[in-house]
Amino acid sequence: MQLPPLFLSRMQTLLGEELAAFLAAYERPLRRGLRVNTLKLPTAAFRSLSALPLEPAPFSPDSFYLDIPHKAGSDPLHHAGAYYMQEPSACSAVSVLAPQPGERVLDLCAAPGGKSGQIAAALQNTGLLWSNEYVPARAHILQQNLERLGVRRGVVSCSDTGRLCAGLAGWFDAVLVDAPCSGEGMFRKEPQALDGWSLDNIHLCAARQQEILQNAAAAVRPGGRLVYSTCTFAPEENEGVIAAFLQQNPDFSLQRIAVPWGCSGFPAQALRAFVPAIAGTADLTACRRILPQHGGEGHFIALLRRDGNAAAPLPATYEPPKNDPHSAAAADLYAGCFRQPPEGVFVTHGELVRLLPPELPALTGLGVLSAGIATAQVCKNRLEPCHAAFMAAAPADCHRVLVLPPDSQELAAFLHGAELPCAGENGWTAVTTAGLTTGFGKCAGGRLKNRYPKGLRLL
């Protein structure tokens, strides 16, 4: 790989004697990885199911190196949401955020969804995950990934960060800002990042990051946590952004990240070659960096805490519409498919009936694309269940189940969209493999009519 001379010069200034180790890491093969989705199954259970050669990564207990080529899109376990392909060090930011069950968590720059999925797994379908993405096409991909992973208590929005955080001021226990950046840590994984690299882009990214982080601060409750992360090495986008933020927000303090991986952030005196005006008294070594020689492609993480414990003014509570035209029928359909009672309320939005999680804030004006689970599709005078409802359910939660082995021709045929023999009771039936729900169909007359979404089918 031909690294830009100016980039190398900057890294020499930043790393000094560590530059040799940094460059030596670039000579080794790229290490890809995956994260087990513990919303679906325990990590130990996945390892017993999968034949993939996995090596534990230090950045998360559910993250692994995978050093062979792997086409996840053709793996039934991937279709079932058992794992997410994720570069191991990309799991570090959520590990530092440490979401706890029952918390409200905002992932402000969430697409394509790896970190949101990791947050959802930590929440274990309690509390609320709010995932935001500004770019509409990327927000659609985010929705698809969270649906596959079985996220039940979530909201996806496509909103400007200033508008969203002002509308949800003080509402979140924890906020993650995995900010858009110059992507220096992605040079090996995504070589096209080299083409767009420049000092001008670094400065443009730093200005945008400061704006996003400043907006994010409004959404954090007193006593709450704010994690800022990037996948770049540039100090202007890392410690420089944090120093500027702390100068503008005296009610936030920088917390030391005590983990056994990576290295400390750089002190202010080492950064003045990059950020001459850097100021403040915060000890920036409390931040954490991951360099290629640490087993990851490149990440920066800072943990901030908002001072105080007093309750902040909270947004208005969501009020479901009265006399929803399909809520009663949706409840009946749900009860006919699943054993567990629904959590939340059924609300019709367009041609979909969604099961909204309880304790939502008012959603108007926040760019919300989806909330909760797409439960039923309105089809003329009837309702039919949605794929998302089955993906969010364990096999034990379903009334009717067709069990197929992971390596069976029948499961491959189902993922291609084929009808299958089905000797069970007539009705909407979950298709499962290895204890995971991977889709559904309608069993009638000994046949299962396939309802696996066309856009997800294997070609």
Side-chain angles (χ1 to χ4, degrees):
M1 176 186 297
Q2 190 67 36
L3 295 170
L6 180 57
F7 170 76
L8 290 172
S9 174
R10 284 167 54 85
M11 294 307 295
Q12 172 69 72
T13 302
L14 185 65
L15 298 179
E17 294 180 355
E18 288 294 314
L19 180 67
F22 176 86
L23 295 178
Y26 272 79
E27 299 300 317
R28 296 192 285 270
L30 172 67
R31 303 200 78 182
R32 300 189 182 273
L34 62 78
R35 178 185 55 81
V36 178
N37 177 26
T38 55
L39 270 183
K40 293 275 189 173
L41 76 173
T43 296
F46 175 79
R47 297 202 70 181
S48 69
L49 283 173
S50 175
L52 294 172
L54 302 177
E55 177 187 338
F59 311 106
S60 160
D62 308 317
S63 179
F64 297 87
Y65 296 108
L66 178 61
D67 293 328
I68 62 168
H70 176 58
K71 293 183 178 180
S74 61
D75 183 355
L77 293 179
H78 185 266
H79 280 259
Y83 63 93
Y84 186 95
M85 298 300 295
Q86 192 168 11
E87 194 272 312
S89 64
C91 296
S92 58
V94 176
S95 293
V96 171
L97 187 68
Q100 300 299 307
E103 288 190 322
R104 299 165 175 165
V105 183
L106 170 62
D107 186 356
L108 195 54
C109 310
K115 293 178 177 65
S116 275
Q118 188 180 356
I119 293 169
L123 294 177
Q124 287 295 300
N125 275 325
T126 65
L128 187 77
L129 165 65
W130 191 301
S131 305
N132 181 71
E133 172 55 46
Y134 180 70
V135 180
R138 287 170 55 81
H140 179 66
I141 295 170
L142 170 65
Q143 284 181 286
Q144 287 185 324
N145 281 327
L146 295 184
E147 179 180 289
R148 180 177 61 83
L149 295 174
V151 177
R152 302 177 65 90
R153 298 175 66 109
V155 176
V156 175
S157 62
C158 180
S159 178
D160 169 80
T161 60
R163 179 181 60 164
L164 181 68
C165 294
L168 296 170
W171 201 70
F172 291 99
D173 299 292
V175 175
L176 173 63
V177 177
D178 184 45
C181 67
S182 59
E184 292 175 346
M186 296 292 103
F187 281 172
R188 292 202 301 171
K189 183 180 177 183
E190 301 173 7
Q192 63 270 26
L194 283 163
D195 299 332
W197 185 88
S198 70
L199 281 183
D200 285 344
N201 190 40
I202 287 173
H203 295 147
L204 179 67
C205 288
R208 179 173 55 194
Q209 291 153 355
Q210 289 186 24
E211 178 183 359
I212 293 172
L213 189 58
Q214 185 65 36
N215 291 339
V220 183
R221 69 164 176 83
R225 312 181 302 286
L226 173 59
V227 163
Y228 172 80
S229 69
T230 73
C231 58
T232 194
F233 308 118
E236 297 93 327
E237 302 179 63
N238 294 331
E239 292 94 346
V241 168
I242 295 301
F245 175 83
L246 290 170
Q247 283 285 97
Q248 298 167 12
N249 297 271
D251 58 331
F252 279 83
S253 56
L254 185 62
Q255 307 294 298
R256 183 163 296 278
I257 300 172
V259 292
W261 39 258
C263 65
S264 300
F266 290 97
Q269 62 267 28
L271 302 173
R272 290 198 168 92
F274 305 91
V275 190
I278 196 167
T281 59
D283 181 4
L284 297 173
T285 66
C287 304
R288 206 71 184 168
R289 281 177 172 266
I290 300 170
L291 301 171
Q293 59 264 41
H294 301 141
E297 289 307 293
H299 274 79
F300 171 86
I301 310 106
L303 172 62
L304 302 148
R305 187 174 296 276
R306 190 172 188 178
D307 299 338
N309 292 305
L314 298 180
T317 302
Y318 173 78
E319 294 291 341
K322 297 179 180 179
N323 302 318
D324 185 278
H326 301 293
S327 61
D332 289 341
L333 177 65
Y334 192 93
C337 293
F338 306 111
R339 301 179 188 278
Q340 296 296 324
E343 292 185 27
V345 59
F346 292 102
V347 174
T348 304
H349 182 73
E351 298 301 312
L352 284 178
V353 183
R354 307 193 70 89
L355 177 57
L356 303 189
E359 300 178 0
L360 281 177
L363 304 177
T364 304
L366 300 180
V368 172
L369 299 179
S370 62
I373 309 166
T375 301
Q377 178 80 39
V378 180
C379 304
K380 295 182 180 180
N381 297 321
R382 69 185 191 282
L383 298 181
E384 294 190 357
C386 291
H387 177 70
F390 280 90
M391 292 302 290
D397 295 334
C398 303
H399 284 301
R400 290 166 293 276
V401 176
L402 175 61
V403 180
L404 302 174
D407 57 354
S408 66
Q409 293 183 351
E410 291 83 1
L411 181 57
F414 174 77
L415 295 176
H416 279 85
E419 290 191 8
L420 299 176
C422 181
E425 176 188 354
N426 287 350
W428 301 110
T429 301
V431 176
T432 73
T433 185
L436 303 167
T437 306
T438 195
F440 80 107
K442 189 168 189 179
C443 186
R447 303 287 295 176
L448 182 87
K449 187 173 182 180
N450 197 319
R451 293 303 178 93
Y452 199 66
K454 291 182 179 179
L456 302 179
R457 293 177 181 177
L458 296 176
L459 300 178

